Amino acid sequence: MDDLTFLMPCRIESEDRLRNVITTVSYLTYNFPQSKILVKESDLQSAFQRDALPVIQNIFGGTPQNLTHIFEETKDKFFHKTKILNDLLIESNTSIVYNYDVDVVYPISSYQTAYNLIINNQLDVVYPYGCGVFQYAVDYPVSLFESFVESKFDLRALHPSCRLQPSVMGWGQMIRRQVYIDSYMWNENFISWGAEDCEYYYRLQALGYKVGRVNDVVYHLEHSRTFNSHYHNPKFMDNHNLWQNIRTWDKDNIVKYYENQNYVSGRRQQLNAGV
């Protein structure tokens, strides 16, 4: 999968989130060394550089060649995931990108199937997990993290700590980069957590792109919740109301709305400047 970049926005606000970031970056590096990994961290200081990277370097005997870490210092308490994903899009240069949640891993075959579906022009966007009871929620203490690394990232090592739960939306998607651009990218009016994933899934289909799934499991590494990943998020109702409006629109109204968004024109200028 040498024409693929994983786009990974992150803020490491807890010890379990730190373990998850180390795990997912290492899992992707170990299994897909030919694919690029772009991590963008937005915070007061870089916990990735200080705490995550040394562990990753220890696992691989140095910094993986396919890994790039970008740090943006900010005092903003809200983690602006949609903006960071669009920042990462600008930085990418492969024809396929993967908007990737730092708390999940999938069976290797799911990544490969999704990639092949896009490369072979069968789909434009692939959600590599099923809709239904397809989530393995993984209780992930330090001991299991160490066992998983020691196993060379064998997913069977996680099974004793897995609980089956519903899976519907979130966790990311593999997408043709030009479709990502043409579909108006992530809506940066969604701030912090809530409804952005539902809106993007709806929009992609309303605009007529070929969207599909891989009907297999997703392993979600459990973590503590701050307001940036919980319904207690102060921006949640703003996000919810925006989604409730957009979900009633047809293609023409969606296009009209997005063509008038300032972030869209700004991102287009950035993309043109990079050509």
Side-chain angles (χ1 to χ4, degrees):
M1 302 196 303
D2 58 357
D3 199 15
L4 172 67
T5 304
F6 293 94
L7 310 181
M8 303 179 70
C10 84
R11 176 173 290 180
I12 300 173
E13 69 274 74
S14 63
E15 288 298 317
D16 45 10
R17 177 57 60 75
L18 172 63
R19 285 195 298 275
N20 292 0
V21 170
I22 294 169
T23 299
T24 52
V25 169
S26 299
Y27 182 83
L28 295 175
T29 297
Y30 183 79
N31 289 297
F32 311 108
Q34 73 278 27
S35 302
K36 296 179 180 179
I37 301 173
L38 292 179
V39 177
K40 181 162 186 180
E41 180 185 19
S42 175
D43 210 338
L44 284 170
Q45 57 184 342
S46 178
F48 185 94
Q49 192 76 29
R50 183 189 65 226
D51 300 321
L53 187 58
V55 179
I56 295 168
Q57 290 170 327
N58 185 57
I59 292 171
F60 292 100
T63 303
Q65 293 185 350
N66 63 334
L67 172 63
T68 300
H69 169 249
I70 303 166
F71 176 67
E72 178 183 59
E73 183 178 353
T74 179
K75 296 180 181 179
D76 194 342
K77 67 178 182 178
F78 296 114
F79 183 60
H80 200 166
K81 186 187 82 171
T82 53
K83 174 188 174 296
I84 297 169
L85 279 169
N86 289 344
D87 290 342
L88 288 166
L89 168 69
I90 303 298
E91 296 291 332
S92 68
N93 59 11
T94 52
S95 66
I96 301 174
V97 296
Y98 194 149
N99 299 314
Y100 201 88
D101 188 316
V102 298
D103 300 306
V104 298
V105 292
Y106 309 87
I108 294 170
S109 60
S110 296
Y111 301 90
Q112 294 172 331
T113 299
Y115 184 79
N116 290 337
L117 286 167
I118 296 176
I119 284 290
N120 295 327
N121 295 316
Q122 294 171 267
L123 292 173
D124 299 311
V125 190
V126 183
Y127 288 73
Y129 52 90
C131 181
V133 188
F134 286 94
Q135 178 190 173
Y136 279 140
V138 184
D139 294 323
Y140 197 57
V142 174
S143 58
L144 183 54
F145 163 75
E146 293 172 346
S147 297
F148 190 43
V149 174
E150 183 66 25
S151 76
K152 304 298 184 184
F153 307 103
D154 186 337
L155 292 173
R156 290 174 295 184
L158 302 179
H159 286 182
S161 293
C162 289
R163 294 170 286 110
L164 269 175
Q165 291 189 352
S167 162
V168 180
M169 197 56 56
W171 301 314
Q173 60 289 120
M174 194 178 295
I175 181 169
R176 201 181 306 279
R177 185 175 185 271
Q178 193 58 50
V179 168
Y180 188 165
I181 294 167
D182 294 343
S183 63
Y184 303 105
M185 299 155 282
W186 285 86
N187 187 332
E188 295 182 24
N189 297 309
F190 288 97
I191 300 173
S192 192
W193 182 84
E196 73 282 354
D197 289 304
C198 295
E199 188 276 334
Y200 195 50
Y201 183 77
Y202 172 77
R203 184 188 349 144
L204 287 165
Q205 295 186 89
L207 292 175
Y209 294 107
K210 295 178 290 185
V211 181
R213 288 183 179 266
V214 176
N215 288 319
D216 206 341
V217 297
V218 52
Y219 294 79
H220 181 255
L221 309 175
E222 294 292 276
H223 55 89
S224 56
R225 301 277 179 170
T226 69
F227 64 83
N228 275 306
S229 55
H230 197 275
Y231 294 103
H232 295 158
N233 161 26
K235 296 289 185 180
F236 179 80
M237 286 310 300
D238 291 339
N239 294 340
H240 172 76
N241 291 334
L242 178 57
W243 160 228
Q244 293 308 307
N245 282 331
I246 294 175
R247 71 187 299 177
T248 66
W249 298 346
D250 61 13
K251 178 179 178 179
D252 290 342
N253 283 319
I254 289 173
V255 170
K256 182 178 179 181
Y257 165 82
Y258 277 100
E259 286 291 336
N260 285 288
Q261 294 303 302
N262 290 334
Y263 86 85
V264 172
S265 59
R267 294 301 186 178
R268 285 173 173 169
Q269 290 174 13
Q270 287 179 297
L271 288 162
N272 289 334
V275 174

